[in-house]
Amino acid sequence: MDEERNEVEELAARARSGEAEAFEALYRSHQAGIYTFILSQVRERELAADLTQETFVRAWQSLPRLRKAGAFRGWLHRIAANLVRDEVKSGRARLEVAASVLATNGETLAPEPRADAAEGPEAMLASQEMKGAVWDALAELPAQQRAAVVMHHVEGMSMTEIAEATGVRPGTVMSRLARAREALRKRLSRYVEGTDDLS
Amino acid sequence: MICHKVRRKLAEYAVGGLRGRTRARIEEHVRDCAACRAELAALERTGGLLDSLSLEEAPAETWAAVQREMRGTERVPVARRVRWAWGTAAGAVALAALVVGAFVLGPMGPAEPQLVVATEVDEEMQATIEGHLSAVWAAPLSDEAAVGLRLAVLEDDG
């Protein structure tokens, strides 16, 4: 983890001084995280792709002013979150949309299914269905909780890193994760309630 | 600890947010209470489900589009940010000195004091304004942006 962080720090420092190749390496290692984060917020693939593009363009433009190269990922999320907020303000995107609305429109937040040779077709289908249900449950969370969950569980960011990215205290991040966990536990009860501990 | 008190804290416990005595009390209760243990297990399984979600790649053409934009854009200079805080403070002090000086010492100054001092203030304020615009552009809700905005309002009022 430290090695990865050092590598990002070095790439960010090089990109800051104008090395386009270093910035491309940063793009390659961060695009999926940013795209998934934005998609979880705006829930439209085309818009998420546009905002991902804009996030990296703005990052390139303002990289010379990034003081701590090691904070690159959090800083990038901050740019993305600002762009999402602008979209919401302009009325082009909505943060609070019930999953049932998405279902009616034939859209889903769940990422495109990916083939996994190690799984049999039935297991894969069940796994895809479950993941779809989790994404749909996530879609019903308040935007700030959803953002914290995606950054922590899907992108693997620490609470401190999320706090830096969202401009709140780590305690607030923890609280958002806890409230989200409670809500998701109820919404996903059919997948998480076992009988093994009910003796 | 009784069940309903434990239940209120279980999610925080599950996300690793509790330390010290509260954490120890919950662990002690859960050891003896099957219902709370089952609830904790469900919360932990929920965490496991979330951990199983995977990232989605941005469309392949996105990088090409970013590159095109990169070629046609200008980067924000480094120097402004470093100078910003001091520039703002110096600008505010200089402005205050100018106002006080104009009232108190005005008649005793050189032939055209306002013109000379105003030029110095303009340069500082210009740096301040540019720094502020950069801060607003990069992070509209940052402290720097807010302070800059406040100063601008004060100057406007003044």
Side-chain angles (χ1 to χ4, degrees), chain A residues 31 36 67 153 185 192, chain B residues 39 45 51 56-57 81:
Chain A
Q31 52 83 19
T36 306
R67 276 177 288 189
H153 290 280
R185 178 255 174 275
V192 299
Chain B
E39 184 57 25
R45 284 191 202 106
D51 288 337
E56 183 169 355
E57 301 280 319
R81 186 170 188 116

Side-chain angles (χ1 to χ4, degrees), chain A residues 15-16 18 24 27-28 31 36 45 60-63 65 67 85 111 114 131 153 181 185 192 194 196, chain B residues 11 15 39 41 43 45 49 51-52 54 56-58 62-63 65 69 73 75-76 81 134 137-138 140-141:
Chain A
R16 189 166 55 187
E24 181 173 0
Y27 173 84
R28 301 281 170 215
Q31 52 83 19
T36 306
R45 288 198 156 71
W60 170 254
Q61 289 168 333
S62 48
L63 248 177
R65 295 188 301 103
R67 276 177 288 189
R85 197 197 50 224
R114 284 187 297 190
K131 286 180 183 177
H153 290 280
R181 184 77 69 94
R185 178 255 174 275
V192 299
D196 48 343
Chain B
V15 301
E39 184 57 25
L43 285 166
R45 284 191 202 106
L49 280 183
D51 288 337
S52 76
S54 42
E56 183 169 355
E57 301 280 319
T62 307
W63 171 243
E69 293 271 340
T73 59
R75 302 182 92 192
V76 178
R81 186 170 188 116
S134 297
W137 182 81
L141 295 179

Side-chain angles (χ1 to χ4, degrees), chain B residues 79-80 83-84 86-92 94-95 98 114-132 155:
Chain B
R80 291 295 181 210
R83 289 190 54 205
W84 192 85
W86 290 109
T88 304
L95 189 65
L98 177 64
Q114 293 87 342
L115 187 61
V116 175
V117 178
T119 305
E120 289 169 10
V121 171
D122 280 351
E123 285 173 0
E124 285 295 343
M125 291 313 292
Q126 186 60 32
T128 302
I129 290 162
E130 285 178 25
H132 170 63
E155 284 155 20

Side-chain angles (χ1 to χ4, degrees), chain A residues 36 54 67 70 83 94 123 128 145 166 186:
Chain A
T36 306
E54 188 60 23
R67 276 177 288 189
L83 287 169
R94 281 187 298 165
Q128 289 300 343
Q145 289 181 18
T166 52
K186 285 178 191 147

Side-chain angles (χ1 to χ4, degrees), chain A residues 13 22 29 43 115 135 146 154:
Chain A
S29 57
R43 281 166 278 181
W135 279 111
R146 195 181 333 130
V154 189

Side-chain angles (χ1 to χ4, degrees), chain A residues 8 25 30 45 67 76 82 93 101 120 128 136 141 192 198:
Chain A
V8 169
H30 289 80
R45 288 198 156 71
R67 276 177 288 189
L76 202 57
N82 285 340
V101 174
Q128 289 300 343
D136 286 346
L141 290 180
V192 299
L198 288 169

